[in-house]
Amino acid sequence: MSKREPEKDFTAVFLRVKTWWGMFAVFCMATLFNPVVSLLSLMVLCFFALKEYFSMMKTRKADRRLFLWSYLAIPLQFYWIYIGWYGMFIVFIPVYVFLFLPLPRLLGKGTSGFLRSVSSTQWGLMLMVFGLSHLAYYQFATPEYGANLVLFLVVLTQVNDVVHYLISIYIGKRKVVPSANPTITWEGYVGATIVTTTIAYFIYPYLTPLDLKFGIISGVLISLSGFFGSLTISVLKRDLLIGDREKLQNVQKSYLTRVDSLTYTSPVFFHVIRYFYEFM
């Protein structure tokens, strides 16, 4: 396309595809080894995703202790995965971290901006740590199929993200939330859903123990949840970076933009499979 239309700027497309393939290579390396290697790789991914999220926030000196406690929650969350304690894994961040997260902010005697900093931090933990940590739990929940399920999920999420982006910038006209992300369109969502579901139909027999019906449903489910993930984080980024155009442009090039879909597809796909299939 770049050779056929040299007057057009395809930089954004090249960057998106390059970073997605980089992430795909990381996930392949993680799943080719034992679950512990996968666990550590994904823990590092969560750390950098959360770090990039925090870099978008307008912070005060009183927030430093809050961020430190948030980073310490990452190894604890992955420790619950390592020992297979599903009950603690599923409630640690949504319940215990949520209840005790305000403490470092209170101890810092910072009252100005208290609600915004604590709630924004909890949002980051829920998406970048709780959501993405589900990728690590697949191999511990089902050692036999876990690695393949992760590859299945990442491939479909990648396909959905790239196809949605390409259709939106070249064909899409009806923007979903133009004030937050002008590249997300309804045409892109419909096209990505069709392509993702088609790919799911062809690869599910090789990567999953799912039946035909759920193999097809998986494509629709991953496309829908990926759409909501991209949309939600786009709005979050726009809200956090109002008035900082330079930082907003830099974030568009970061890996945080690439994992936005995975923050939703990972937990949604995990819990739906766990509900309907005994092998999880």
Side-chain angles (χ1 to χ4, degrees):
M1 291 176 67
S2 63
K3 291 179 181 179
R4 189 175 302 173
E5 302 177 67
E7 72 281 359
K8 288 189 177 181
D9 183 13
F10 291 92
T11 305
V13 181
F14 293 148
L15 178 65
R16 182 171 289 260
V17 174
K18 179 181 178 180
T19 52
W20 254 120
W21 279 115
M23 286 182 57
F24 180 70
V26 170
F27 284 116
C28 283
M29 292 299 292
T31 54
L32 284 174
F33 297 98
N34 60 52
V36 176
V37 175
S38 174
L39 188 81
L40 295 174
S41 302
L42 295 170
M43 185 169 67
V44 171
L45 176 65
C46 288
F47 171 80
F48 282 107
L50 186 65
K51 184 175 180 292
E52 288 187 356
Y53 175 85
F54 284 159
S55 71
M56 297 189 299
M57 294 173 56
K58 294 179 175 66
T59 60
R60 299 175 177 84
K61 187 176 181 180
D63 294 327
R64 294 177 183 176
R65 192 178 298 174
L66 184 68
F67 292 167
L68 175 61
W69 281 37
S70 300
Y71 287 129
L72 292 176
I74 298 176
L76 283 174
Q77 175 73 355
F78 279 82
Y79 176 72
W80 310 136
I81 299 174
Y82 176 72
I83 64 176
W85 191 356
Y86 176 78
M88 182 57 77
F89 160 76
I90 210 66
V91 303
F92 177 63
I93 291 177
V95 178
Y96 295 112
V97 172
F98 171 77
L99 293 175
F100 292 102
L101 191 63
L103 285 179
R105 193 65 160 75
L106 294 171
L107 294 174
K109 300 179 181 179
T111 56
S112 178
F114 171 82
L115 181 60
R116 181 174 178 83
S117 64
V118 172
S119 59
S120 298
T121 302
Q122 179 65 20
W123 260 98
L125 283 168
M126 284 296 298
L127 292 172
M128 308 307 160
V129 181
F130 181 72
L132 291 177
S133 65
H134 283 76
L135 289 167
Y137 208 99
Y138 281 90
Q139 293 192 64
F140 289 85
T142 171
E144 184 178 359
Y145 305 114
N148 284 347
L149 286 172
V150 171
L151 284 180
F152 178 74
L153 172 65
V154 172
V155 167
L156 291 185
T157 304
Q158 172 184 341
V159 167
N160 180 73
D161 187 70
V162 173
V163 172
H164 190 153
Y165 181 76
L166 291 174
I167 292 177
S168 292
I169 62 174
Y170 293 114
I171 302 175
K173 296 180 180 179
R174 300 174 181 84
K175 295 177 172 56
V176 181
V177 186
S179 60
N181 191 330
T183 62
I184 296 181
T185 64
W186 289 112
E187 291 85 355
Y189 166 67
V190 173
T193 300
I194 295 172
V195 174
T196 304
T197 305
T198 303
I199 298 297
Y201 170 76
F202 285 107
I203 69 174
Y204 88 89
Y206 305 100
L207 293 178
T208 74
L210 307 176
D211 54 29
L212 174 61
K213 178 181 178 180
F214 202 83
I216 295 174
I217 291 175
S218 295
V220 178
L221 186 68
I222 290 172
S223 182
L224 179 62
S225 54
F227 169 73
F228 279 117
S230 296
L231 198 60
T232 300
I233 292 188
S234 294
V235 174
L236 274 176
K237 288 187 297 187
R238 184 70 61 175
D239 181 47
L240 291 171
L241 295 175
I242 288 176
D244 196 337
R245 185 177 297 273
E246 182 180 353
K247 187 178 287 188
L248 181 62
Q249 291 176 347
N250 291 333
V251 169
Q252 299 300 329
K253 303 175 183 179
S254 68
Y255 274 85
L256 178 59
T257 305
R258 305 292 89 85
V259 301
D260 52 7
S261 301
L262 282 170
T263 59
Y264 269 59
T265 60
S266 303
V268 170
F269 186 59
F270 177 89
H271 290 292
V272 170
I273 292 180
R274 184 178 175 84
Y275 182 81
F276 287 102
Y277 287 90
E278 295 183 357
F279 64 80
M280 289 287 281

